[in-house]
Amino acid sequence: MTKTIVNSWNEWDPLRHVIVGRADDCHIPPEEPALDAKVPEDSDMRGQWGRRPQETIDRANELLDNFASLLTKRGIRVDRPTSIDHSKPVTTPDFHTDSQFGCMPPRDVLLTVGAEILEATMSYRCRWFEYLNYRPLLQRYWEEDPNFRHEAAPKPRLTDADYHPDYLSEKIGVAQRLKWAEEKHFVTTEEEPLFDAADVLRFGRDLVVQHGFTTNLKGIEWLRRHFPDHRVHTVNFPGDPYPIHIDATFTPLRPGLILNNPQRRLPDDQRKLFNDNDWEIVDAAQPAHNTPPPLCYSSTWLSMNVLVLDPKTVCVEASEVYQMEQMDKLGMEVVPVELRDAYAFGGGLHCCTADVYREGGCEDYFP
Ligand code: ARG
């Protein structure tokens, strides 16, 4: 009898097996083009780099461990990555960086589609080797599951030709950034295919991919050719001055229902797929906080970065009272999970996990 370890086609079917990241040895990486473009101009992170303070690593690990045991108690199998030494510099024939990033968040690196887990190209030099944190797990799945497809997208060269130099200036200003986002002028060029896994949402036969800082059009074309049985849709969210990773912007909760960040609405001309199939796109509730926690890359909209356990149950960060209330009104059972002190390590409840197994198969939700 063969054993299926890896199977996940969407963001909402009953979750049975998941990877939860670790804060071990996470670093604030040194300056590099793609990262600089993303760090908000008023951020406390500008100009500093190095290993994150130990007490913040310990606290984040405590929260991630608690989240993992909460999932385990609900009958979900949880695996954890093995941290590599992120203080090590990386030199390839094309670039050098003095440190790496961390083994958070797994969602950025690993894209699970059916029986396949695909390692993304990534677009930051400091994250080039991040997949190594997950290799012990992926090797094990490969040994145990004869149908598991372990894939890796072509590693990008990440020379300076990958980044638009006008994004490197110190002060760009939010107005200019919004204008560029509207024009789809992002920090990454079309030199070679680039994508982060967290720019992709899975809807059975359809993959919805955000074109932004971390994923370029060639990256989306690469995904289209790699998944010939899927339909791949490109989306943009013009209200976002730092467009990376779709999961604090557009959050499917169950078939027919998606939360959308009210500051980053999906443009009308990109709604056809959803409208034609009677999917409802509702504005997400406001975040409970006015600012992100210290040394955090993300915005306060990690409030909507939820992990759906099944179409009726959702994990929401425990301080996000408005988001919990909205979920309740939408008929979801809410599982509050404390995670805010781990946000600085790269994200919320969806980011810090990667699917291994959800029940169900590949459905066509947009026939
Ligand atoms: N760009 C998002 C925001 O700041 C954060 C997304 C984080 N997601 C992730 N998978 N790391 O609003």
PDB file of all heavy atoms in Angstrom, residues 38 105 108 198 244-245 247-248 264 298-299 301-302 346 351, ligand 1:
ATOM      1  N   LYS A  38      11.557  47.134  -0.173  1.00  0.00           N
ATOM      2  CA  LYS A  38      10.400  46.663   0.593  1.00  0.00           C
ATOM      3  C   LYS A  38      10.334  47.265   1.996  1.00  0.00           C
ATOM      4  O   LYS A  38       9.258  47.429   2.551  1.00  0.00           O
ATOM      5  CB  LYS A  38      10.468  45.125   0.653  1.00  0.00           C
ATOM      6  CG  LYS A  38       9.725  44.465   1.791  1.00  0.00           C
ATOM      7  CD  LYS A  38       8.221  44.632   1.656  1.00  0.00           C
ATOM      8  CE  LYS A  38       7.493  44.130   2.890  1.00  0.00           C
ATOM      9  NZ  LYS A  38       6.150  44.667   3.009  1.00  0.00           N
ATOM     10  N   PRO A 105       9.345  32.974   6.877  1.00  0.00           N
ATOM     11  CA  PRO A 105       8.195  32.085   6.961  1.00  0.00           C
ATOM     12  C   PRO A 105       8.189  31.076   5.810  1.00  0.00           C
ATOM     13  O   PRO A 105       8.448  31.440   4.668  1.00  0.00           O
ATOM     14  CB  PRO A 105       7.018  33.050   6.836  1.00  0.00           C
ATOM     15  CG  PRO A 105       7.566  34.301   6.207  1.00  0.00           C
ATOM     16  CD  PRO A 105       9.048  34.237   6.191  1.00  0.00           C
ATOM     17  N   ASP A 108       6.646  31.482   2.120  1.00  0.00           N
ATOM     18  CA  ASP A 108       7.304  32.254   1.063  1.00  0.00           C
ATOM     19  C   ASP A 108       8.083  31.373   0.113  1.00  0.00           C
ATOM     20  O   ASP A 108       8.288  31.731  -1.048  1.00  0.00           O
ATOM     21  CB  ASP A 108       8.278  33.272   1.675  1.00  0.00           C
ATOM     22  CG  ASP A 108       7.582  34.271   2.572  1.00  0.00           C
ATOM     23  OD1 ASP A 108       6.360  34.172   2.739  1.00  0.00           O
ATOM     24  OD2 ASP A 108       8.270  35.151   3.121  1.00  0.00           O
ATOM     25  N   ALA A 198       4.690  32.735  -1.737  1.00  0.00           N
ATOM     26  CA  ALA A 198       3.599  33.431  -1.047  1.00  0.00           C
ATOM     27  C   ALA A 198       2.874  34.442  -1.941  1.00  0.00           C
ATOM     28  O   ALA A 198       1.953  35.116  -1.495  1.00  0.00           O
ATOM     29  CB  ALA A 198       4.124  34.124   0.206  1.00  0.00           C
ATOM     30  N   ILE A 244       4.346  42.854  -1.833  1.00  0.00           N
ATOM     31  CA  ILE A 244       4.960  41.529  -1.790  1.00  0.00           C
ATOM     32  C   ILE A 244       4.032  40.593  -1.035  1.00  0.00           C
ATOM     33  O   ILE A 244       3.455  40.968  -0.025  1.00  0.00           O
ATOM     34  CB  ILE A 244       6.376  41.507  -1.147  1.00  0.00           C
ATOM     35  CG1 ILE A 244       6.315  41.521   0.371  1.00  0.00           C
ATOM     36  CG2 ILE A 244       7.259  42.625  -1.641  1.00  0.00           C
ATOM     37  CD1 ILE A 244       7.591  40.988   0.984  1.00  0.00           C
ATOM     38  N   HIS A 245       3.872  39.397  -1.535  1.00  0.00           N
ATOM     39  CA  HIS A 245       3.125  38.307  -0.888  1.00  0.00           C
ATOM     40  C   HIS A 245       1.641  38.660  -0.766  1.00  0.00           C
ATOM     41  O   HIS A 245       1.270  39.623  -0.123  1.00  0.00           O
ATOM     42  CB  HIS A 245       3.740  37.948   0.469  1.00  0.00           C
ATOM     43  CG  HIS A 245       5.190  37.585   0.331  1.00  0.00           C
ATOM     44  ND1 HIS A 245       6.083  37.715   1.347  1.00  0.00           N
ATOM     45  CD2 HIS A 245       5.885  37.098  -0.725  1.00  0.00           C
ATOM     46  CE1 HIS A 245       7.284  37.323   0.934  1.00  0.00           C
ATOM     47  NE2 HIS A 245       7.184  36.950  -0.328  1.00  0.00           N
ATOM     48  N   ASP A 247      -0.828  37.279   0.790  1.00  0.00           N
ATOM     49  CA  ASP A 247      -1.678  36.766   1.868  1.00  0.00           C
ATOM     50  C   ASP A 247      -1.996  37.741   3.000  1.00  0.00           C
ATOM     51  O   ASP A 247      -2.562  37.337   4.022  1.00  0.00           O
ATOM     52  CB  ASP A 247      -1.133  35.430   2.406  1.00  0.00           C
ATOM     53  CG  ASP A 247       0.318  35.488   2.826  1.00  0.00           C
ATOM     54  OD1 ASP A 247       0.929  36.566   2.740  1.00  0.00           O
ATOM     55  OD2 ASP A 247       0.843  34.438   3.259  1.00  0.00           O
ATOM     56  N   ALA A 248      -1.693  39.025   2.822  1.00  0.00           N
ATOM     57  CA  ALA A 248      -2.265  40.038   3.721  1.00  0.00           C
ATOM     58  C   ALA A 248      -3.119  40.985   2.877  1.00  0.00           C
ATOM     59  O   ALA A 248      -3.410  42.123   3.269  1.00  0.00           O
ATOM     60  CB  ALA A 248      -1.170  40.798   4.457  1.00  0.00           C
ATOM     61  N   ARG A 264      -6.367  47.827  -0.695  1.00  0.00           N
ATOM     62  CA  ARG A 264      -5.704  47.205  -1.854  1.00  0.00           C
ATOM     63  C   ARG A 264      -6.736  46.403  -2.624  1.00  0.00           C
ATOM     64  O   ARG A 264      -6.646  45.180  -2.733  1.00  0.00           O
ATOM     65  CB  ARG A 264      -4.592  46.250  -1.388  1.00  0.00           C
ATOM     66  CG  ARG A 264      -3.629  46.844  -0.392  1.00  0.00           C
ATOM     67  CD  ARG A 264      -2.690  45.786   0.156  1.00  0.00           C
ATOM     68  NE  ARG A 264      -1.841  46.308   1.220  1.00  0.00           N
ATOM     69  CZ  ARG A 264      -1.078  45.563   2.018  1.00  0.00           C
ATOM     70  NH1 ARG A 264      -1.066  44.246   1.859  1.00  0.00           N
ATOM     71  NH2 ARG A 264      -0.345  46.110   2.946  1.00  0.00           N
ATOM     72  N   SER A 298       6.359  43.698   7.747  1.00  0.00           N
ATOM     73  CA  SER A 298       4.995  43.673   7.226  1.00  0.00           C
ATOM     74  C   SER A 298       4.180  44.838   7.755  1.00  0.00           C
ATOM     75  O   SER A 298       4.585  45.536   8.681  1.00  0.00           O
ATOM     76  CB  SER A 298       4.324  42.364   7.604  1.00  0.00           C
ATOM     77  OG  SER A 298       5.120  41.269   7.214  1.00  0.00           O
ATOM     78  N   SER A 299       3.003  45.013   7.179  1.00  0.00           N
ATOM     79  CA  SER A 299       2.094  46.068   7.610  1.00  0.00           C
ATOM     80  C   SER A 299       1.155  45.526   8.693  1.00  0.00           C
ATOM     81  O   SER A 299       1.178  44.338   9.021  1.00  0.00           O
ATOM     82  CB  SER A 299       1.280  46.547   6.412  1.00  0.00           C
ATOM     83  OG  SER A 299       0.350  45.537   6.049  1.00  0.00           O
ATOM     84  N   TRP A 301      -1.705  44.853   8.303  1.00  0.00           N
ATOM     85  CA  TRP A 301      -2.704  43.980   7.667  1.00  0.00           C
ATOM     86  C   TRP A 301      -2.409  42.494   7.818  1.00  0.00           C
ATOM     87  O   TRP A 301      -3.114  41.641   7.253  1.00  0.00           O
ATOM     88  CB  TRP A 301      -2.884  44.364   6.192  1.00  0.00           C
ATOM     89  CG  TRP A 301      -3.604  45.664   6.078  1.00  0.00           C
ATOM     90  CD1 TRP A 301      -3.048  46.894   5.864  1.00  0.00           C
ATOM     91  CD2 TRP A 301      -5.007  45.891   6.232  1.00  0.00           C
ATOM     92  NE1 TRP A 301      -4.025  47.857   5.862  1.00  0.00           N
ATOM     93  CE2 TRP A 301      -5.239  47.266   6.084  1.00  0.00           C
ATOM     94  CE3 TRP A 301      -6.109  45.053   6.478  1.00  0.00           C
ATOM     95  CZ2 TRP A 301      -6.515  47.831   6.174  1.00  0.00           C
ATOM     96  CZ3 TRP A 301      -7.375  45.610   6.560  1.00  0.00           C
ATOM     97  CH2 TRP A 301      -7.570  46.982   6.414  1.00  0.00           C
ATOM     98  N   LEU A 302      -1.400  42.168   8.594  1.00  0.00           N
ATOM     99  CA  LEU A 302      -1.252  40.744   8.961  1.00  0.00           C
ATOM    100  C   LEU A 302      -2.487  40.278   9.732  1.00  0.00           C
ATOM    101  O   LEU A 302      -2.681  39.086   9.949  1.00  0.00           O
ATOM    102  CB  LEU A 302       0.019  40.520   9.779  1.00  0.00           C
ATOM    103  CG  LEU A 302       1.335  40.648   9.008  1.00  0.00           C
ATOM    104  CD1 LEU A 302       2.519  40.400   9.929  1.00  0.00           C
ATOM    105  CD2 LEU A 302       1.389  39.686   7.821  1.00  0.00           C
ATOM    106  N   GLY A 346       8.616  37.631   9.820  1.00  0.00           N
ATOM    107  CA  GLY A 346       8.219  37.491   8.420  1.00  0.00           C
ATOM    108  C   GLY A 346       6.741  37.311   8.188  1.00  0.00           C
ATOM    109  O   GLY A 346       6.334  37.142   7.043  1.00  0.00           O
ATOM    110  N   CYS A 351       1.488  32.947   6.746  1.00  0.00           N
ATOM    111  CA  CYS A 351       2.901  32.992   6.337  1.00  0.00           C
ATOM    112  C   CYS A 351       3.740  31.938   7.046  1.00  0.00           C
ATOM    113  O   CYS A 351       4.592  31.302   6.421  1.00  0.00           O
ATOM    114  CB  CYS A 351       3.538  34.332   6.690  1.00  0.00           C
ATOM    115  SG  CYS A 351       2.636  35.776   6.212  1.00  0.00           S
TER     116      CYS A 351
HETATM  117  N1  ARG B   1       2.995  42.359   2.196  1.00  0.00           N
HETATM  118  C1  ARG B   1       2.207  42.065   3.351  1.00  0.00           C
HETATM  119  C2  ARG B   1       1.949  43.306   4.164  1.00  0.00           C
HETATM  120  O1  ARG B   1       2.868  43.881   4.682  1.00  0.00           O
HETATM  121  C3  ARG B   1       2.811  41.012   4.220  1.00  0.00           C
HETATM  122  C4  ARG B   1       2.715  39.653   3.628  1.00  0.00           C
HETATM  123  C5  ARG B   1       3.455  38.656   4.436  1.00  0.00           C
HETATM  124  N2  ARG B   1       3.260  37.368   3.870  1.00  0.00           N
HETATM  125  C6  ARG B   1       4.176  36.412   3.841  1.00  0.00           C
HETATM  126  N3  ARG B   1       3.843  35.274   3.305  1.00  0.00           N
HETATM  127  N4  ARG B   1       5.373  36.587   4.304  1.00  0.00           N
HETATM  128  O2  ARG B   1       0.837  43.714   4.303  1.00  0.00           O
END
